[in-house]
Amino acid sequence: MDEHPGIAVKTKKDASIVVATKLLRDKECDALVSSGSTGAAVAAALFGLGRIRGIERPAIATPIPSLTGTTVVLDSGAKVDAKPEHMVQSAIMGSVYAELMLKIKNPRVGLLNIGEEETKGNEQALATYPLLKAEEHINFVGNGRDINKGTVDVVVCDGFVGNVVLKFAEGLASAIMKLMKEAILNGGFLAKLGGLLIKPAMKGLAKRLDPAEYGGALLLGVKAPFIICHGSSKAKAIKNAIGVAIDFAERDVVEHIAGNIVKSRKGNEEI
């Protein structure tokens, strides 16, 4: 985990992530699930598989629970920096993901920002907004702040911000569940009685907020199905990640992304 991902992948030809990526490239398997170093997984995918034509930067798409279902956040850590053009590509890939994997028709795309107004944000956000607005192959609804409210289906940001959002969301969900349990245990007889009554609902909520239920995040933009899990993933998370990988491969998400990128490039050339 302390090695430079690119150097490690290039020099350690027998590392499991390198060998597995080669199997995927040679079509000896249909998808890959990795729970090691995220950096090494991204590097192996880039060097071993290559990018879909028209994609300059792959992005990690992570599903986050919302009030209306699920919101996809990308990039959540493939690359910490991003140009406005990369954010548009992420929006297209995220839309395909939401439509095929989450079965959301015409998914709403939002740009993660500090306010809803078009004039809000840093230089990156201000440059990205008009590009997303002009992109015909996504349903761009403007700046989005409320990831968990369900007002957007796909949220676009750079990998640094996305990874911070992801870690904060997972930490907050875990903290809230622990605080609720402590409040019930320390709240006296009536609180404990109420806790027994709401125990089934609490279990359901805990399951919905558990990252292991989603298995892993998809690395979008490379030429084959590639799933990245937490390094601390346990058996349930790996099992669910394998399920995501199968679904990803069967729905041919990679080819659909490639097709939409081609359409977008042709549309931009015509403009």
Side-chain angles (χ1 to χ4, degrees), residues 23-242:
L23 292 172
L24 183 60
R25 182 194 67 199
D26 296 341
K27 301 188 184 304
E28 293 187 47
C29 61
D30 297 304
L32 189 155
V33 175
S34 169
S35 60
S37 161
T38 297
V42 173
L46 283 172
F47 296 141
L49 297 174
R51 296 164 292 158
I52 293 171
R53 187 176 182 183
I55 296 293
E56 295 179 33
R57 293 274 181 88
I60 297 175
T62 303
I64 291 181
S66 72
L67 293 177
T68 58
T70 304
T71 299
V72 183
V73 176
L74 71 167
D75 179 17
S76 57
K79 193 72 176 177
V80 294
D81 298 309
K83 295 179 181 178
E85 295 78 9
H86 303 155
M87 308 266 272
V88 175
Q89 293 165 15
S90 290
I92 294 171
M93 293 191 293
S95 294
V96 173
Y97 171 101
E99 191 163 353
L100 294 179
M101 299 289 287
L102 303 178
K103 300 177 183 177
I104 300 173
K105 188 175 180 180
N106 197 27
R108 299 160 296 173
V109 177
L111 174 64
L112 188 60
N113 208 333
I114 58 174
E116 295 180 357
E117 299 86 352
E118 189 172 342
T119 55
K120 285 286 183 73
N122 57 14
E123 290 182 5
Q124 180 195 60
L126 291 173
T128 302
Y129 191 103
L131 296 182
L132 290 172
K133 190 175 181 179
E135 177 56 56
E136 296 180 356
H137 298 88
I138 60 171
N139 177 21
F140 181 57
V141 295
N143 288 327
R145 299 174 298 164
D146 305 315
I147 295 174
N148 302 107
K149 278 190 175 180
T151 54
V152 290
D153 305 302
V154 177
V155 172
V156 179
C157 56
D158 64 49
F160 181 86
V161 171
N163 198 258
V164 171
V165 167
L166 178 62
K167 285 180 168 57
F168 175 76
E170 291 175 350
L172 180 62
S174 176
I176 287 174
M177 295 305 299
K178 287 181 180 178
L179 288 172
M180 289 177 68
K181 288 179 182 178
E182 288 178 5
I184 290 171
L185 290 174
N186 299 326
F189 173 75
L190 290 178
K192 289 177 182 177
L193 180 61
L196 286 173
L197 294 174
I198 66 168
K199 189 175 181 180
M202 288 280 286
K203 281 187 175 180
L205 178 61
K207 183 176 181 180
R208 189 176 177 190
L209 295 176
D210 185 3
E213 292 295 327
Y214 293 91
L218 280 69
L219 179 62
L220 302 179
V222 294
K223 292 181 178 178
F226 204 109
I227 315 299
I228 299 176
C229 307
H230 277 297
S232 59
S233 294
K234 293 181 170 58
K236 181 171 73 170
I238 297 297
K239 181 205 75 169
N240 289 335
I242 291 170

